[in-house]
Amino acid sequence: KQWYQRRVAITAGMTEDHLKKSFEIRKKLQPFYTGGSLCISPDNKYLFCICETYAKVVSILTGEAIRTFGNEEDTIITVAGNNCILFTAHRASHLINQWD
């Protein structure tokens, strides 16, 4: 209760002039995950995930997609990893692909 009263007292004294109205954009990221399974590389540097109909490799450090697998005609429905090998399962072709 005491921390709440203190916070209310601090914020109550603020006026609109104290609040920042706009922010500078430092970096924009494109969507890289839309649901499904995830894998992390053994060195914890990369995330393998599903984004719409594609599989993406995302740098955990920067949050940027550095590689995309798949095509529009054949939806990738899951990703699985074993060390540095990526596997993708495809809906239309009923195939499992191995990527290096």
Side-chain angles (χ1 to χ4, degrees):
K1 185 176 178 182
Q2 185 180 19
W3 67 268
Y4 176 76
Q5 290 174 342
R6 184 174 178 197
R7 182 173 180 193
V8 169
I10 291 171
T11 56
M14 295 180 112
T15 64
E16 271 191 46
D17 296 333
H18 290 98
L19 302 175
K20 194 166 186 170
K21 294 184 173 121
S22 63
F23 298 90
E24 179 183 333
I25 297 173
R26 293 185 188 165
K27 187 179 195 178
K28 285 186 179 184
L29 297 175
Q30 297 298 318
F32 59 81
Y33 178 70
T34 55
S37 56
L38 300 168
C39 294
I40 297 177
S41 65
D43 59 2
N44 294 323
K45 291 183 179 181
Y46 304 103
L47 173 71
F48 304 95
C49 57
I50 300 292
C51 184
E52 296 177 357
T53 62
Y54 301 97
K56 293 197 175 191
V57 180
V58 179
S59 168
I60 293 176
L61 184 63
T62 65
E64 296 179 51
I66 57 172
R67 188 157 180 204
T68 301
F69 299 94
N71 59 57
E72 291 180 13
E73 293 83 35
D74 197 3
T75 301
I76 295 177
I77 56 174
T78 191
V79 294
N82 181 4
N83 292 330
C84 292
I85 301 170
L86 175 68
F87 297 93
T88 56
H90 302 258
R91 178 170 286 141
S93 63
H94 305 285
L95 293 175
I96 295 177
N97 286 333
Q98 175 183 336
W99 307 87
D100 291 326

